Amino acid sequence: MSAEYQVNGTVAVITLANPPVNGLGLATRTAAVAGIRQALADEAVKAIVITGAGKAFSGGADIKEFNSPKALTEPTLHTLINVVEQSTKPVVAAIHSVCMGGGLELALGCNYRVAAPGAQMALPEVKLGILPGAGGTQRLPRVLGLEMALNMIVSGTPVASEKLAGTALFDEVIAPGADLLKAAVAFATKVADVRPQPKVRERKVDYPNHEAFLQFSRNTVKAMSGPFPAPLKCVDAVAAAVTMKFDEGLTYERELFMQLVQSPVSKALRHAFFAERIASKVPDVPADTPVRSIASAAIVGAGTMGGGIAMNFANAGIPVMLLETKQEALDKGLATIRKNYENTVKKGKLTQDKAEQRIALVSGTLEYADIAQADIVIEAVFEELGVKENVFKQLDAVMKPGAILASNTSTLDLDKIAAFTKRPQDVVGTHFFSPANVMKLLEIVRGKETGKDVLATALALSKKLKKTGVVSGVCDGFIGNRMIEQYSRQAGFLLEEGCLPEQVDKAVEKFGFAMGPFRMGDLAGNDIGWAIRKRRYVEKPDVTYSKTADLLCELKRYGQKTGAGWYDYKAGDRKAYPSEQVNAMIAQHSTDIGVARRKISDQEIVERLVYALVNEGARILEEGIALRASDIDMVYLTGYGFPLFRGGPMFYADTVGLPNVQDTIASYAKGRHGEAWTPAPLLVKLAGEGKGFNS
């Protein structure tokens, strides 16, 4: 059973008990319906209270049942709500902590609602590309009014219960600290004999000139929702609460729900939702693996990356010390952190008091001895193995036993770095993405000697820092940068064959990327890629690259930081302006290497860039560098600006169909630099079996 039944005087109390958030799975629904029927059959029971155990009333549908037959097995959520609504004895919802999605829809089916302050109320289905499908769009406007309900449903944003006190959503909001169950039972006793029982479905939505408001809402939502269809469908469903009878509106809501749940966008959003949750699960690292305490941190290197990483710790309330070799560099790093916080205050995203608290958590030093007692130290110095060796040998000498020694390396061999110490079990990769205080991804690199407790600690730390932690094995570039290298190679070849940076960027941005490869290069710094290619020329002389990026760097056009990269930039202006100098250089290079420039379609640009990611992702998956295809998708959704509505590169390939991807790759293999298009064996295998990467 996942709902408990007990009688308190003349009131039956049904407690939803399906941790952690009392998801309304089949067992919970079945037990709740049985509880209501038991209460109806007991003449001594005059009223019913439904509440939730632990830290939630109910978070809604049980995510473990998504896309499974159980979600549609009777009693469904619709059936449960109907049983509640048709009860001949009054039903009171006792709401606390979390009341979202189907949980709120269940509460709206009750005759009365009593809430504790601080309960988070939401219908967040829009974030999964769907809309509330169990009456939420029809009932919420009847208790909150058209405008407030529409805002909640279209945004999916939680609202605290006390902010909704005084609306018809709640019959009572109890005082802070009061006993909710006791108050709900008292309330149920008081209304036990009230007839007729109030029903939300019988209320009317009264909004003067609703046609004009709804049209304004449609125009606004359409302009803001872009490729996501659910917000506009939410407006249509809520409009039905005003223009249709309740049962007709309920039917219309269901029609819209079924349209959305089958849409590629909703499938992509649901994939991302589950992918994020499963990313922290490592098969051979059990959930109960002990983790090390992280009460203090140190960062080696106070540059852009080191400073950004330090801000993550300060934001999480963890004291952090920056180590630099020169006072000037340290002062500059600390000043940049202060400036970043001050800018956040100016934007109204942080109070001055909180900014000062966070700044106070960041300190600096020039001595390794001063960071010796930190629980974790993260190296964020120049991406060169000799530099890393020097740092890790010094860390090994001074850091206390049990300290985690982490590297922010983006491409280098973590096992070689760990071998510079006498404690390789304490070494892990923590690859933050720039800007580190903003980007959500944390690539956690597991070396061959990395301890399971160290890996578990890094994953727990990622959550504390509000990052999405994804585990990668050791290889050149790990998951993200290894794949982006193939993407960048194709971008370079496209320049040689006929494209200009602006066309390539616009094509992939139209596809949905936050930023094209050349704007991204200018933001990150083109000199970083140059340093990696110089290493590649020595280590992998058989791999070809376009020389355009090298020619760019020889002109010292490193990107936004130098005011010139693939594009021109103006002082104080981050907008990318096409560069006549660069475009002429690209055209001349094509002539120099004897390539006749041709017109290239946006479709070819997108296919070559995206399928280059997919093909390399398949190799990474086959080699076990990534644990699962969805981990690769999370890396690209949270770290590289891949369009969320397409679900990540591997999911997108599944959507297109792997046989189609394979055929397209085979066609490019016949063209220039066809050697870059050898299909990954896993891609060929899965395509032949009619499967997908995420099957």
Side-chain angles (χ1 to χ4, degrees), residues 36-88:
I36 293 162
R37 287 177 175 154
Q38 185 176 345
L40 293 176
D42 186 343
E43 291 184 5
V45 170
K46 303 299 182 185
I48 303 164
V49 167
I50 299 177
T51 191
K55 296 180 179 179
F57 172 76
S58 173
D62 189 334
I63 62 169
K64 294 189 287 292
E65 291 186 4
F66 266 43
N67 304 327
S68 80
K70 280 188 175 181
L72 300 174
T73 302
E74 291 289 353
T76 65
L77 180 56
H78 287 271
T79 301
L80 170 59
I81 293 171
N82 284 338
V83 169
V84 168
E85 197 171 51
Q86 292 167 17
S87 168
T88 54

Side-chain angles (χ1 to χ4, degrees), residues 5 195 294-295 354 473 660:
Y5 182 90
R195 298 293 184 275
I294 304 293
K354 284 194 174 176
N660 295 327

Side-chain angles (χ1 to χ4, degrees), residues 471-684:
V471 176
S472 171
V474 175
C475 68
D476 199 329
F478 315 123
I479 296 171
N481 281 343
R482 175 170 159 182
M483 287 169 64
I484 208 73
E485 185 170 354
Q486 301 309 317
Y487 171 94
S488 300
R489 282 180 75 204
Q490 288 301 319
F493 295 152
L494 284 164
L495 293 186
E496 293 181 346
E497 293 167 33
C499 290
L500 293 174
E502 188 180 20
Q503 183 196 355
V504 176
D505 284 349
K506 281 187 173 178
V508 291
E509 286 163 15
K510 187 178 177 183
F511 175 78
F513 271 86
M515 194 176 287
F518 299 108
R519 285 180 59 212
M520 183 178 72
D522 279 359
L523 179 65
N526 295 307
D527 52 327
I528 296 171
W530 194 25
I532 293 169
R533 285 192 304 280
K534 286 176 180 176
R535 180 160 60 85
R536 293 283 191 274
Y537 297 151
V538 175
E539 295 173 357
K540 297 180 180 178
D542 55 323
V543 179
T544 52
Y545 296 85
S546 167
K547 295 292 184 185
T548 48
D550 294 355
L551 295 170
L552 185 82
C553 290
E554 286 168 11
L555 295 171
K556 294 189 166 43
R557 296 183 66 102
Y558 299 147
Q560 288 186 16
K561 60 187 174 185
T562 57
W566 293 106
Y567 297 93
D568 292 333
Y569 298 91
K570 298 175 183 177
D573 182 2
R574 288 178 174 260
K575 185 179 176 183
Y577 295 90
S579 168
E580 289 184 15
Q581 181 189 14
V582 170
N583 292 349
M585 179 266 287
I586 291 168
Q588 183 60 49
H589 179 62
S590 298
T591 301
D592 292 345
I593 61 174
V595 175
R597 295 179 68 78
R598 62 184 175 90
K599 187 173 182 180
I600 298 175
S601 69
D602 285 359
Q603 180 182 343
E604 179 178 341
I605 292 169
V606 169
E607 285 178 348
R608 285 174 63 174
L609 295 183
V610 174
Y611 292 172
L613 291 176
V614 171
N615 201 36
E616 195 63 24
R619 296 183 196 282
I620 284 170
L621 199 55
E622 191 168 28
E623 293 168 21
I625 299 300
L627 291 169
R628 48 188 82 88
S630 61
D631 284 359
I632 296 173
D633 288 331
M634 283 317 300
V635 166
Y636 269 79
L637 291 172
T638 58
Y640 291 87
F642 197 93
L644 177 60
F645 66 92
R646 299 194 189 275
M650 311 312 279
F651 182 83
Y652 175 70
D654 290 346
T655 305
V656 172
L658 298 195
N660 295 327
V661 175
Q662 185 185 350
D663 289 346
T664 305
I665 284 177
S667 71
Y668 290 129
K670 295 172 185 173
R672 185 169 177 271
H673 287 304
E675 77 283 352
W677 289 109
T678 304
L682 181 62
L683 170 60
V684 175

Side-chain angles (χ1 to χ4, degrees), residues 231-252:
L232 204 53
K233 296 285 188 187
C234 286
V235 179
D236 291 341
V238 171
V242 189
T243 60
M244 297 182 185
K245 292 179 180 177
F246 181 82
D247 286 323
E248 292 172 358
L250 214 56
T251 300
Y252 183 57

Side-chain angles (χ1 to χ4, degrees), residues 62-343:
D62 189 334
I63 62 169
K64 294 189 287 292
E65 291 186 4
F66 266 43
N67 304 327
S68 80
K70 280 188 175 181
L72 300 174
T73 302
E74 291 289 353
T76 65
L77 180 56
H78 287 271
T79 301
L80 170 59
I81 293 171
N82 284 338
V83 169
V84 168
E85 197 171 51
Q86 292 167 17
S87 168
T88 54
K89 299 176 182 181
V91 183
V92 179
I95 297 166
H96 66 94
S97 309
V98 173
C99 182
M100 296 186 182
L104 179 50
E105 289 177 304
L106 173 60
L108 288 166
C110 297
N111 304 110
Y112 303 95
R113 286 155 298 281
V114 175
Q120 295 296 300
M121 314 297 295
L123 290 173
E125 288 84 352
V126 70
K127 295 179 180 179
L128 295 180
I130 52 178
L131 52 72
T137 66
Q138 302 308 295
R139 290 188 177 92
L140 195 64
R142 285 173 158 81
V143 293
L144 290 186
L146 178 61
E147 197 167 336
M148 188 182 293
L150 185 67
N151 285 340
M152 279 186 68
I153 292 168
V154 169
S155 71
T157 305
V159 179
S161 53
E162 58 267 35
K163 291 187 178 178
L164 301 172
T167 70
L169 175 58
F170 298 127
D171 298 278
E172 185 179 314
V173 176
I174 65 171
D179 186 315
L180 173 65
L181 186 58
K182 187 176 179 182
V185 169
F187 186 91
T189 303
K190 185 173 70 174
V191 299
D193 297 322
V194 172
R195 298 293 184 275
Q197 293 169 183
K199 295 181 179 179
V200 171
R201 62 157 47 224
E202 293 171 353
R203 298 177 68 93
K204 296 278 187 257
V205 184
D206 188 18
Y207 194 92
N209 199 11
H210 63 264
E211 296 95 341
F213 172 73
L214 288 167
Q215 190 54 51
F216 170 77
S217 299
R218 283 190 179 94
N219 294 342
T220 305
V221 169
K222 187 176 182 179
M224 295 177 66
S225 56
F228 298 91
L232 204 53
K233 296 285 188 187
C234 286
V235 179
D236 291 341
V238 171
V242 189
T243 60
M244 297 182 185
K245 292 179 180 177
F246 181 82
D247 286 323
E248 292 172 358
L250 214 56
T251 300
Y252 183 57
E253 175 194 81
R254 192 65 187 166
E255 288 172 6
L256 295 178
F257 175 86
M258 293 309 294
Q259 289 173 24
L260 287 171
V261 85
Q262 297 300 326
S263 70
V265 172
S266 177
K267 289 175 181 176
L269 292 175
R270 297 195 320 264
H271 169 72
F273 177 83
F274 288 111
E276 185 167 13
R277 277 147 187 79
I278 202 172
S280 61
K281 293 175 172 57
V282 181
D284 67 331
V285 181
D288 60 355
T289 301
V291 297
R292 302 185 188 184
S293 171
I294 304 293
S296 62
I299 314 294
V300 182
T304 303
M305 185 56 79
I309 295 171
M311 289 178 71
N312 285 298
F313 284 94
N315 294 344
I318 299 171
V320 57
M321 185 175 285
L322 282 165
L323 171 67
E324 258 297 351
T325 54
K326 294 180 180 177
Q327 188 67 46
E328 182 184 2
L330 180 60
D331 291 343
K332 183 181 177 183
L334 293 171
T336 300
I337 290 171
R338 174 171 282 279
K339 185 179 178 182
N340 287 340
Y341 279 122
E342 288 172 351
N343 288 339

